[in-house]
Amino acid sequence: MDFPQPQTLQQIASIIAAEFVGNPDYKILGMNEIHVVREGDIVFVDHPKYYDKALNSKASVVLINKKVDCPEGKALLISDDPFRDFNKLTRKFKPFQSSSNRISETAQIGERTVIQPNTFVGNHVKIGKNCIIHSNVSIYDHTEIGDNVVIHAGTVLGADAFYYKKRETGFDQLVSGGRVILENNVHIGSLCTIDKGVSGDTTIGEGTKIDNQVHIGHDCVIGKKCLIASQVGIAGCVIIEDEVTIWGQVGIRSDVTIKTKAEIFAQSGVSKTLEGNQQYFGSPAIEAKKWFKEAASIRQIPYLIQQQKSSK
Amino acid sequence: MDFPQPQTLQQIASIIAAEFVGNPDYKILGMNEIHVVREGDIVFVDHPKYYDKALNSKASVVLINKKVDCPEGKALLISDDPFRDFNKLTRKFKPFQSSSNRISETAQIGERTVIQPNTFVGNHVKIGKNCIIHSNVSIYDHTEIGDNVVIHAGTVLGADAFYYKKRETGFDQLVSGGRVILENNVHIGSLCTIDKGVSGDTTIGEGTKIDNQVHIGHDCVIGKKCLIASQVGIAGCVIIEDEVTIWGQVGIRSDVTIKTKAEIFAQSGVSKTLEGNQQYFGSPAIEAKKWFKEAASIRQIPYLIQQQKSSK
Amino acid sequence: MDFPQPQTLQQIASIIAAEFVGNPDYKILGMNEIHVVREGDIVFVDHPKYYDKALNSKASVVLINKKVDCPEGKALLISDDPFRDFNKLTRKFKPFQSSSNRISETAQIGERTVIQPNTFVGNHVKIGKNCIIHSNVSIYDHTEIGDNVVIHAGTVLGADAFYYKKRETGFDQLVSGGRVILENNVHIGSLCTIDKGVSGDTTIGEGTKIDNQVHIGHDCVIGKKCLIASQVGIAGCVIIEDEVTIWGQVGIRSDVTIKTKAEIFAQSGVSKTLEGNQQYFGSPAIEAKKWFKEAASIRQIPYLIQQQKSSK
């Protein structure tokens, strides 16, 4: 997430009333979560376990709950609650804006794009040329859609990430300031949900086709020319490389990668990174060949019991 | 379900043209299904197997298809078809009202609550303060929503219970007269469905967070501070106690209880009541530890077959 | 899919700029995919493996990518790309029409049918008498709905088939020209998706009741008095006969048949045709009795290992 214009360290420190270490005029371009952080960004960390990772990341500024040594060329923001203050910054620079119009006046919509009745297009949304957006679709603020994209009825692009910190008082949500990006020639079925990134983008690659009732979590990056069948659920921060095929009702846990040309059979549950050019099945998913061998072996148990008895 | 004002036994009997046993002026406050029935209520029963349960329940009036002995202090309504007549009463006291406005004039909406475009708010709905109801949400009549609630786009609150009696002529629906209740600080994702109770309430407890595409059936009672991930399906009349965690694509059958702080792993299928403070996995779900042991044992079968052969 | 009026072989050949074999005045009534083709129809075939099937089908005209012998009484259309040209014909005779009204002026809506706010009713839709169509429903063009039908909020009827041909340049969609048909007394829950047929109809039979978040793919034919629970996913071209019961989260692959009075337990995955009057469970689904036997046998493995050891 970029700030609308660069901020100084001092400006940011004053917004969140934090002490800072570094040059007060140090320029900050934006803010991001650890897995998508870039030079010029603020990142936050509130657990000693992750201090090193944050301090050694590409982030230029680390929002942290302990006064540690500042890495050279970087800056620190010291806060008793980095999570709370990261949220404060997201709310400051990407405040929620309610809409009174069905299609926001700040939305940019390309030539020959059709938007059917009852569809909501939020603020600062960009939609390319030759798209068809069917009825009752919801497109949250800042979503970007390429050319020749088809979105079927009732689909929701850009709802908040399902990302909570457990506190004594209850669940505290990490505020989402990211976006959804659909590249050219993407087709999305009916009643899909694609959540925005927490600070970065959830991206669906060029030419990928998605069936109905598919859920794609925050910060996923789906490659080009993938095929995703109905009722698949993909948790947050999953990377799916190009030309992957995922059949119906598959579930994929967060933070894993599905590599190029992998194929996942229906109803599988993916719990770890999968290599490309192979077929997978089962919950948890393993190589399909292995799965079918295991299933066949189960059918041998009665024979084994029989043998056991007769050998006595 | 309460009647708008108390009715007498005679009044109710005349609406459904039923014979009655008891004082004609006996006061009746409402009506409910057997599992949520209260003193002052009518309950119905149409199968001898359940007569005793209905007659000994808290119900003050039993709508029954046989002239049995009336329990002391109670009353009976005798009907050749209690199911049909229970529906007649629901339709009489909670008739379906169509809406011509997107936001009903009888809806009460609290201060600083934002309702985005294309959202439907039905009759007699109550929404608290500081809520955000995103676009294309459908809120059926009589739903009640607390303060600081967030509902993402396309979600549906209060559709009818999926509850049918099989008759020779086809499926006959039990008419839903209940409500959906969301307590304070509840978050609901996009494209969720939470059905109303048949006669009582479907309740989501304070501070519970629900991800996208979750289905919650009629008369469920979900506790406080639960976390329910995407594409979970919970059938009717399920009780989920506090601080339960349910991961993606889990299915839970009707009429079971998930006790405090239980955690159910992704894609599990719950077929019975689960104790609290434990982890579960599999379909049907068992203790996660046991499941992983069983999975490991399957991988021993080829070795067993090998041993079997070599022992001959 | 019928043409608005019969076409001659020559007219069709000139639309797609194809060579033809047969009488130029040969009458053509419509076009269909191979599994629903009728006399008078065009069918297309672009792979030698399926030439015989297409040439021997009920189709009167075969759109084919090789100049083969023309079966007696039939005609051929020779094209270098039958898939592309079949799409050209669908687009010509069933062009996508955008809508500017929420309820199209060409829609026919029966007496005493209620349509709630924010529902979209497309062009040439027919809805019968005494129906309730709840809010935020999307009904695509040409859908036909019988009498006494209830459709809950957010459901989508008639989105495009998820049917793509893989080409070097990416996925090329087979254009959908079919319809969705709901017969009398059908109930559809909230947030269901029922896709239109590619060239034929997706049909839900009389008296069938469907719960929330169910997906039914293109060209499915669901029988009468079926019960389909929440979050079931049914792929394209599935035939479900009468009085079938399908419990929650079941998945069914394309091109299979579920016969009369079969019952499929929750979360099962159906990979082949299932006989009627039986119960099924598992993924892949097998007879429920067998499944439970296999599950019990797995629990014997530790005993087998134990025996193995002690027998040494």
Side-chain angles (χ1 to χ4, degrees):
Chain A
M1 177 184 146
D2 294 323
F3 296 138
Q5 57 254 18
Q7 305 288 314
T8 65
L9 182 60
Q10 192 159 42
Q11 283 175 317
I12 294 293
S14 103
I15 291 166
I16 57 174
E19 203 182 328
F20 64 86
V21 178
N23 180 346
D25 294 328
Y26 195 101
K27 272 223 172 106
I28 311 180
L29 303 175
M31 52 192 281
N32 262 312
E33 260 211 301
I34 185 74
H35 69 289
V36 285
V37 81
R38 309 156 303 179
E39 226 184 286
D41 279 348
I42 303 170
V43 79
F44 83 95
V45 64
D46 57 6
H47 196 290
K49 199 172 148 187
Y50 302 112
Y51 283 176
D52 277 353
K53 196 175 173 189
L55 291 163
N56 295 320
S57 72
K58 289 187 182 164
S60 299
V61 183
V62 181
L63 172 59
I64 189 169
N65 55 350
K66 196 188 167 188
K67 205 165 178 173
V68 295
D69 288 343
C70 183
E72 218 189 296
K74 300 197 174 185
L76 300 180
L77 289 157
I78 316 297
S79 158
D80 63 316
D81 192 339
F83 187 96
R84 176 200 65 208
D85 288 341
F86 198 78
N87 275 348
K88 199 178 275 181
L89 291 173
T90 306
R91 285 203 183 92
K92 165 85 183 172
F93 292 103
K94 277 258 178 97
F96 172 70
Q97 287 183 272
S98 66
S99 291
S100 41
N101 296 324
R102 235 179 286 161
I103 296 184
S104 166
E105 287 169 14
T106 59
Q108 297 171 38
I109 296 168
E111 291 169 16
R112 292 178 303 282
T113 282
V114 172
I115 297 184
Q116 292 281 76
N118 295 344
T119 277
F120 167 70
V121 179
N123 304 299
H124 313 295
V125 167
K126 292 179 191 167
I127 305 180
K129 289 179 285 188
N130 300 314
C131 297
I132 303 179
I133 317 290
H134 285 275
S135 56
N136 284 306
V137 167
S138 294
I139 305 179
Y140 281 62
D141 295 5
H142 300 287
T143 300
E144 297 198 1
I145 296 174
D147 298 334
N148 312 311
V149 168
V150 177
I151 302 176
H152 279 284
T155 278
V156 177
L157 304 180
D160 290 345
F162 190 71
Y163 188 134
Y164 293 91
K165 183 184 182 70
K166 202 173 185 174
R167 297 193 189 262
E168 279 302 308
T169 50
F171 292 108
D172 190 13
Q173 188 166 28
L174 191 57
V175 176
S176 297
R179 301 179 300 179
V180 168
I181 310 285
L182 307 186
E183 295 182 358
N184 295 337
N185 304 311
V186 163
H187 288 190
I188 309 283
S190 298
L191 298 177
C192 292
T193 55
I194 304 180
D195 286 349
K196 69 174 63 146
V198 165
S199 62
D201 296 329
T202 304
T203 304
I204 312 296
E206 190 172 342
T208 283
K209 312 297 183 187
I210 296 179
D211 200 353
N212 299 339
Q213 296 188 23
V214 168
H215 165 68
I216 295 178
H218 66 92
D219 294 289
C220 284
V221 179
I222 313 284
K224 297 182 196 310
K225 296 191 200 174
C226 294
L227 213 58
I228 302 180
S230 183
Q231 295 182 330
V232 165
I234 303 177
C237 300
V238 169
I239 294 170
I240 295 186
E241 296 183 352
D242 296 343
E243 296 183 53
V244 167
T245 302
I246 305 176
W247 295 107
Q249 296 183 333
V250 163
I252 302 181
R253 62 154 288 163
S254 56
D255 293 304
V256 303
T257 298
I258 312 294
K259 297 195 177 165
T260 305
K261 294 194 181 180
E263 181 178 4
I264 308 174
F265 292 169
Q267 293 191 324
S268 296
V270 176
S271 58
K272 57 182 175 72
T273 288
L274 298 181
E275 294 307 311
N277 289 300
Q278 291 195 35
Q279 299 178 314
Y280 298 91
F281 189 38
S283 175
I286 56 176
E287 269 181 62
K289 267 185 222 165
K290 273 195 198 162
W291 192 94
F292 286 107
K293 246 186 205 169
E294 280 190 9
S297 77
I298 291 170
R299 272 168 225 131
Q300 306 254 29
I301 300 172
Y303 163 82
L304 284 169
I305 293 169
Q306 181 62 30
Q307 290 290 307
Q308 193 73 259
K309 280 181 190 155
S310 63
S311 74
K312 284 192 188 173
Chain B
M1 179 184 146
D2 294 322
F3 297 137
Q5 57 254 18
Q7 305 287 313
T8 66
L9 182 60
Q10 190 159 41
Q11 283 174 315
I12 294 293
S14 103
I15 292 167
I16 58 174
E19 201 182 330
F20 64 87
V21 177
N23 181 345
D25 295 327
Y26 195 100
K27 270 221 172 108
I28 311 179
L29 304 175
M31 53 191 280
N32 263 311
E33 261 211 300
I34 184 74
H35 68 289
V36 284
V37 81
R38 309 157 303 180
E39 224 185 288
D41 279 347
I42 303 170
V43 79
F44 83 96
V45 64
D46 58 6
H47 195 290
K49 199 171 147 187
Y50 301 112
Y51 283 176
D52 277 352
K53 195 175 173 190
L55 292 163
N56 296 319
S57 72
K58 289 188 183 164
S60 298
V61 183
V62 180
L63 171 59
I64 189 169
N65 55 350
K66 196 187 169 190
K67 206 165 178 174
V68 295
D69 288 343
C70 182
E72 217 190 297
K74 300 197 174 187
L76 300 179
L77 289 157
I78 316 297
S79 158
D80 63 317
D81 193 339
F83 187 96
R84 177 200 64 208
D85 288 341
F86 198 78
N87 274 348
K88 199 179 274 180
L89 291 174
T90 306
R91 285 202 184 92
K92 165 83 182 172
F93 292 104
K94 276 260 180 95
F96 172 69
Q97 286 184 272
S98 66
S99 291
S100 41
N101 295 326
R102 235 179 284 161
I103 297 184
S104 166
E105 287 169 14
T106 59
Q108 296 171 37
I109 296 168
E111 291 170 16
R112 293 178 303 282
T113 282
V114 172
I115 298 184
Q116 292 281 76
N118 295 344
T119 277
F120 167 69
V121 179
N123 304 300
H124 313 294
V125 167
K126 292 179 192 166
I127 305 180
K129 290 179 284 186
N130 299 315
C131 297
I132 303 178
I133 317 291
H134 286 276
S135 56
N136 284 306
V137 167
S138 293
I139 304 179
Y140 282 61
D141 295 5
H142 299 287
T143 300
E144 297 197 0
I145 297 173
D147 298 334
N148 311 311
V149 168
V150 177
I151 302 177
H152 279 285
T155 278
V156 177
L157 304 180
D160 291 344
F162 190 72
Y163 188 134
Y164 293 90
K165 184 185 181 68
K166 202 173 185 175
R167 297 193 188 262
E168 278 303 308
T169 50
F171 291 107
D172 189 11
Q173 188 165 28
L174 190 57
V175 176
S176 296
R179 301 178 300 179
V180 168
I181 309 286
L182 307 187
E183 295 182 357
N184 295 337
N185 304 312
V186 163
H187 288 190
I188 310 283
S190 298
L191 299 176
C192 292
T193 56
I194 304 180
D195 286 350
K196 69 173 64 145
V198 166
S199 63
D201 296 330
T202 304
T203 304
I204 313 295
E206 190 173 343
T208 283
K209 312 298 184 185
I210 297 180
D211 201 352
N212 299 338
Q213 298 188 20
V214 168
H215 164 68
I216 295 178
H218 66 91
D219 294 289
C220 284
V221 179
I222 314 284
K224 298 184 196 307
K225 295 190 201 175
C226 294
L227 213 58
I228 302 180
S230 184
Q231 296 182 328
V232 165
I234 303 177
C237 300
V238 169
I239 293 170
I240 295 186
E241 296 183 351
D242 296 343
E243 296 184 53
V244 167
T245 302
I246 306 177
W247 295 107
Q249 297 184 331
V250 163
I252 302 180
R253 62 155 288 163
S254 56
D255 293 304
V256 302
T257 297
I258 313 294
K259 297 194 178 167
T260 304
K261 294 193 182 181
E263 181 178 4
I264 308 174
F265 292 170
Q267 294 191 324
S268 296
V270 177
S271 59
K272 58 182 175 68
T273 288
L274 299 181
E275 293 307 311
N277 289 301
Q278 291 195 36
Q279 300 179 314
Y280 298 92
F281 189 39
S283 175
I286 56 176
E287 269 181 63
K289 265 185 223 165
K290 272 196 200 163
W291 191 94
F292 286 108
K293 247 188 203 168
E294 281 191 7
S297 78
I298 291 170
R299 273 168 225 131
Q300 306 255 29
I301 300 172
Y303 163 83
L304 284 169
I305 294 168
Q306 182 61 28
Q307 290 290 306
Q308 193 74 260
K309 280 180 190 155
S310 64
S311 74
K312 284 189 190 174
Chain C
M1 178 184 145
D2 294 322
F3 297 137
Q5 57 254 18
Q7 305 287 314
T8 65
L9 182 61
Q10 191 160 39
Q11 283 174 316
I12 294 293
S14 102
I15 291 166
I16 57 174
E19 202 182 330
F20 64 87
V21 177
N23 180 345
D25 294 328
Y26 194 100
K27 273 228 170 99
I28 312 179
L29 304 174
M31 52 192 279
N32 263 312
E33 261 212 300
I34 184 74
H35 68 289
V36 285
V37 80
R38 310 157 302 180
E39 225 185 287
D41 278 348
I42 304 170
V43 79
F44 83 96
V45 64
D46 58 6
H47 196 290
K49 200 172 145 187
Y50 302 112
Y51 283 176
D52 277 353
K53 195 175 173 189
L55 291 163
N56 295 319
S57 73
K58 289 187 182 164
S60 298
V61 183
V62 180
L63 172 58
I64 189 170
N65 55 350
K66 196 188 168 188
K67 206 165 179 174
V68 294
D69 289 344
C70 183
E72 219 189 296
K74 300 197 171 186
L76 300 180
L77 289 156
I78 315 296
S79 158
D80 62 316
D81 193 339
F83 187 97
R84 176 200 66 210
D85 288 341
F86 198 77
N87 274 347
K88 199 179 273 180
L89 292 173
T90 306
R91 284 204 184 91
K92 165 84 182 171
F93 291 104
K94 276 257 179 97
F96 172 70
Q97 287 183 272
S98 66
S99 291
S100 41
N101 295 326
R102 234 179 287 162
I103 296 184
S104 166
E105 287 168 15
T106 58
Q108 296 171 37
I109 295 168
E111 290 169 18
R112 291 178 304 282
T113 282
V114 172
I115 298 184
Q116 291 281 75
N118 295 344
T119 277
F120 167 70
V121 179
N123 304 299
H124 313 294
V125 166
K126 291 179 192 166
I127 305 180
K129 290 179 285 188
N130 300 314
C131 297
I132 302 178
I133 318 290
H134 285 275
S135 56
N136 283 307
V137 168
S138 294
I139 305 179
Y140 281 62
D141 295 5
H142 300 287
T143 299
E144 297 197 0
I145 295 173
D147 298 334
N148 312 312
V149 168
V150 177
I151 301 176
H152 279 284
T155 279
V156 178
L157 304 180
D160 291 344
F162 190 72
Y163 188 133
Y164 293 91
K165 183 183 181 72
K166 202 174 184 174
R167 296 193 189 262
E168 279 302 307
T169 49
F171 292 108
D172 190 12
Q173 188 166 28
L174 190 57
V175 176
S176 296
R179 301 179 298 179
V180 168
I181 309 285
L182 307 187
E183 294 181 359
N184 295 338
N185 304 312
V186 163
H187 288 190
I188 310 283
S190 298
L191 298 177
C192 292
T193 55
I194 304 181
D195 286 349
K196 67 174 63 146
V198 166
S199 63
D201 296 331
T202 305
T203 305
I204 313 295
E206 190 172 341
T208 283
K209 312 297 184 188
I210 297 179
D211 200 353
N212 299 339
Q213 298 188 21
V214 168
H215 165 69
I216 296 179
H218 66 90
D219 293 288
C220 284
V221 179
I222 314 284
K224 298 183 196 310
K225 296 191 201 174
C226 293
L227 212 58
I228 303 180
S230 184
Q231 296 181 329
V232 164
I234 303 178
C237 301
V238 169
I239 294 170
I240 294 186
E241 296 184 353
D242 296 343
E243 294 183 54
V244 167
T245 302
I246 306 177
W247 295 108
Q249 297 184 332
V250 163
I252 303 181
R253 62 155 288 164
S254 56
D255 293 303
V256 302
T257 298
I258 313 294
K259 297 194 177 166
T260 305
K261 294 193 182 181
E263 180 178 5
I264 308 174
F265 292 169
Q267 294 192 323
S268 295
V270 177
S271 58
K272 58 182 176 70
T273 288
L274 299 182
E275 294 306 311
N277 290 301
Q278 291 195 35
Q279 298 179 315
Y280 298 91
F281 188 39
S283 174
I286 56 176
E287 269 180 63
K289 267 185 224 165
K290 272 195 200 163
W291 191 94
F292 286 107
K293 246 186 204 168
E294 280 191 8
S297 78
I298 291 170
R299 273 169 224 128
Q300 307 254 29
I301 300 172
Y303 163 82
L304 284 169
I305 294 169
Q306 182 61 30
Q307 289 290 308
Q308 194 74 260
K309 279 179 190 157
S310 64
S311 74
K312 283 189 189 172

